[in-house]
Amino acid sequence: MALDGIRMPDGCYADGTWELKMHVTDLHKDVSLRVTGEIHIGGVMLKLVEELDVKKDWSDHALWWEKKKTWLLKTHWTLDKYGIQADARLLFTPQHKLLRLQLPNMRHMRVKVNFSDRVFKAVSDICKTFNIRHPEEVSLLRKPRDPKKKKKKLEEAEEDPLELEGPLLTPGSGSIYSSPGLYSKTMTPTYDSRDGSPLSPTTAWFGDSPLSEGNPSILAVSQPISSPDILLKLYKPQSLLDKAKINQGWLDSSRSLMEQEVKDNDVLLLRFKYHSFFDLNPKYDAIRVNQLYEQSKWAILLEEIECTEEEMMMFAALQYHINKLSIMSSDNHMNNSEKEVDEVDAALSDLEITLEGGKTSNTLGDITSIPELADYVKVFKPKKLTLKGYKQYWCTFKDITISCYKSREEAHGTPAHQMNLRGCEVTPDVNISGQKFNIKLLIPVADGMNEIWLRCDTEKQYAHWMAACRLASKGKTMADSSYNLEVQNILSFLKMQHMNPDPQFIAAEYINTDINPECLVSPRYLKKYKNKQISTRILEAHQNVAQMSLIEAKMRFIQAWQSLPEFGMTHFLAKFQGGKRDELIGITYNRLIRMDASNGDAIKTWRFANMKQWNVNWEIKMVTVEFADEPSLSFICTEVDCKVVHEFIGGYIFLSTRAKDQNESLDEEMFFKLTSGWI
């Protein structure tokens, strides 16, 4: 008597086989196969395809275990080794699925992405397709939900006016450049050194990528906001807590999209996650620079980052200038796509405006002595219930220490006050029209932070002292090669905020141009001023930037964004060990900041340079950071998986190891070692 048809009470058959249930997603069909635990995954898929008897390319298909949320990619493993039994249900589904990616410029692209790859690898492939170098700075973010909108209205608004579907792209189908994500000296310049417009050879960068069938340079062109209604419909965080909630949506780089419940045709945001932009070079990065400009532009318009009124008008003027030049360069590009580039001019232009390059002084004085500052500076130490104002001191800035004396004559004696600025927080408080040039210092002490304010009399004095404070906070002195560049950047930033009213120029420009201020400034200023007032101020500020080329204006915009006090700070809600209420942990490229959740004031700062190690207790979701000469820091993330915070810390540590002389692929293993943890 044959035993193969007799089914036992446990679901297995008498001959040792059992039924494995599978669903073929392409055919919407359920299939059951008789298998044993010793059959390997490759054999199961082969048996399934034979059973289906459908002529089709199944090479992209793999098995997905729904219950365990895992891909069965090790085809030599047996069902027993994976722990799959008769109660399992597997999906036979393509690994490449459709994603609708919202780029930093708010435009949507339909992209086929490998849902079985780790997100880090998937993003690298996407960046290759879009020709964005250094994909390690980029990641995927879930779309934030506006709590004020009802679910039905949200679904109706899902197709927003910015939805411009591009061609269907498949990352990895074309060879873009030899070393993904790192510097390559063999690249061809992708912009015109005169006006910054993208060059036609950009097409060659995409090889046989589907993007080359369309217009690849479109990703390097900034498109003006068409209607103020767009700003009103987009989600604007109202508080630091709202900003912290947005950061809950970052995907885990060490897990696949399917493992994180991303579905076919879902919308995800492609964003620069780590605000540490390595080798940002307009000569090679036309698309990367434009997308960075777009991300910074929207961050300012949606009030995701705070800026002063004068800074807002400066950003609006740059945006207005970029919009004008983008339209002009698009027209020129269509008419004259075969412009020749002067390599020397391009290199010189790049040297002048690149954000990374510091001009190194060759003078002997920089080698044999450390520069010092000495001047009268007003100093204020805020205390509760005090109305006492600034007091003038003769201040000297040596190494990373400020010493305050009652007069210049007493400078050789004992200082009245002395401040070591290593690890301090440095925040500008500037109002050009009011001639206010203040520097706010939060200096770490044993029980928290000491607050000190410095007031300078002139822009030049402010630029030198501000640059010195910023370097000192990182443990660097004014002998560092970046000091002079920092001073020049600060002066340039202040100069762009000057209002230079030229009535004839402004009147002519106003008559000839539709400025559309509703699309250039954030909503709070539209409530405060009339459109005509805003337009006039934008045109006044525009005179400071009117001579800039397109690429220089974008780089200046990014540089000004980087100069804002809140730049690059990612907030998370956390409960610190010993604390009774929820607070904020802020993470930047070089430090952790404990913050008051109600007003964002820094309570304590810890530098990564002083960090020995960090660990995560995955059971209680607690992050512990140990430092060389300070007590350890422990906190629990209250509304976000601590893996997200762990990845931010490890990611910034990883980015700090990059060097310009590298010319090889990214060290993915090191990235995962620093960010994955033990899950």
Side-chain angles (χ1 to χ4, degrees), residues 420-428 439-445 448-454 466 469-470 472-474 564-567 569 586-595 600-607:
N420 185 310
L421 268 54
R422 185 189 294 273
C424 76
E425 288 296 304
V426 184
T427 309
I439 302 170
K440 178 183 174 183
L441 302 174
L442 289 174
I443 302 168
V445 291
M449 308 283 271
N450 271 349
E451 186 174 346
I452 302 287
W453 290 71
L454 306 179
M466 186 63 168
C469 288
R470 284 178 175 169
S473 71
K474 302 171 189 175
L564 297 177
E566 289 184 7
F567 166 77
M569 193 174 295
I587 304 176
T588 73
Y589 75 98
N590 64 354
R591 66 199 188 280
L592 299 171
I593 309 163
R594 182 176 182 175
M595 306 169 74
D601 286 349
I603 299 169
K604 179 76 175 170
T605 296
W606 298 268
R607 296 266 161 183

Side-chain angles (χ1 to χ4, degrees), residues 435-472:
Q435 287 294 292
K436 182 174 80 171
F437 306 104
N438 292 348
I439 302 170
K440 178 183 174 183
L441 302 174
L442 289 174
I443 302 168
V445 291
D447 57 345
M449 308 283 271
N450 271 349
E451 186 174 346
I452 302 287
W453 290 71
L454 306 179
R455 172 167 286 181
C456 300
D457 293 325
T458 65
E459 289 185 20
K460 189 175 180 182
Q461 184 189 33
Y462 168 80
H464 282 88
W465 283 77
M466 186 63 168
C469 288
R470 284 178 175 169
L471 285 175

Side-chain angles (χ1 to χ4, degrees), residues 275-472:
H275 291 72
S276 176
F277 313 127
F278 186 70
D279 188 29
L280 187 58
N281 190 326
K283 192 173 179 181
Y284 311 115
D285 289 323
I287 292 171
R288 183 174 169 222
V289 167
N290 186 60
Q291 295 301 321
L292 257 177
Y293 157 70
E294 290 285 350
Q295 183 164 326
S296 58
K297 177 185 82 176
W298 285 104
I300 288 159
L301 291 177
L302 297 176
E303 298 174 5
E304 293 173 5
I305 185 168
E306 293 291 324
C307 65
T308 66
E309 192 172 303
E310 288 174 332
E311 288 164 348
M312 178 59 74
M313 297 307 159
M314 175 202 65
F315 283 120
L318 280 167
Q319 194 184 331
Y320 167 66
H321 185 63
I322 290 164
N323 290 346
K324 280 179 63 177
L325 292 185
S326 295
I327 294 167
M328 289 165 56
S329 70
S330 294
D331 294 340
N332 294 338
H333 183 58
M334 297 296 284
N335 298 330
N336 184 18
S337 61
E338 298 300 324
K339 287 182 182 177
E340 292 185 3
V341 181
D342 186 324
E343 288 286 344
V344 176
D345 283 352
L348 287 172
S349 176
D350 163 52
L351 184 64
E352 287 172 2
I353 62 177
T354 182
L355 296 181
E356 288 293 334
K359 293 180 183 178
T360 310
S361 173
N362 292 322
T363 58
L364 188 63
D366 281 352
I367 300 170
T368 58
S369 64
I370 295 174
E372 299 175 5
L373 292 175
D375 208 342
Y376 279 106
V377 177
K378 295 180 180 72
V379 181
F380 174 51
K381 187 175 182 180
K383 291 181 180 178
K384 289 182 180 178
L385 305 174
T386 181
L387 298 174
K388 209 170 183 179
Y390 286 87
K391 189 175 179 181
Q392 185 166 277
Y393 288 93
W394 177 259
C395 296
T396 62
F397 204 135
K398 297 180 181 179
D399 294 328
I400 58 172
T401 301
I402 297 176
S403 301
C404 305
Y405 303 90
K406 291 182 179 179
S407 68
R408 185 173 186 173
E409 291 70 31
E410 297 180 19
H412 296 293
T414 305
H417 305 288
Q418 200 164 43
M419 299 168 275
N420 185 310
L421 268 54
R422 185 189 294 273
C424 76
E425 288 296 304
V426 184
T427 309
D429 179 28
V430 175
N431 184 303
I432 303 290
S433 57
Q435 287 294 292
K436 182 174 80 171
F437 306 104
N438 292 348
I439 302 170
K440 178 183 174 183
L441 302 174
L442 289 174
I443 302 168
V445 291
D447 57 345
M449 308 283 271
N450 271 349
E451 186 174 346
I452 302 287
W453 290 71
L454 306 179
R455 172 167 286 181
C456 300
D457 293 325
T458 65
E459 289 185 20
K460 189 175 180 182
Q461 184 189 33
Y462 168 80
H464 282 88
W465 283 77
M466 186 63 168
C469 288
R470 284 178 175 169
L471 285 175

Side-chain angles (χ1 to χ4, degrees), residues 532-544:
K532 189 172 181 180
Q533 290 175 300
I534 297 172
S535 297
T536 303
R537 292 188 65 182
I538 291 172
L539 290 176
E540 287 175 1
H542 178 246
Q543 292 177 68
N544 295 317

Side-chain angles (χ1 to χ4, degrees), residues 274 589 608-609 611 614 647-658 674:
Y274 299 104
Y589 75 98
F608 289 158
M611 184 192 297
W614 76 101
E647 187 173 307
F648 261 96
I649 297 172
Y652 274 125
I653 299 294
F654 173 76
L655 296 186
S656 70
T657 65
R658 297 178 295 181
L674 288 168

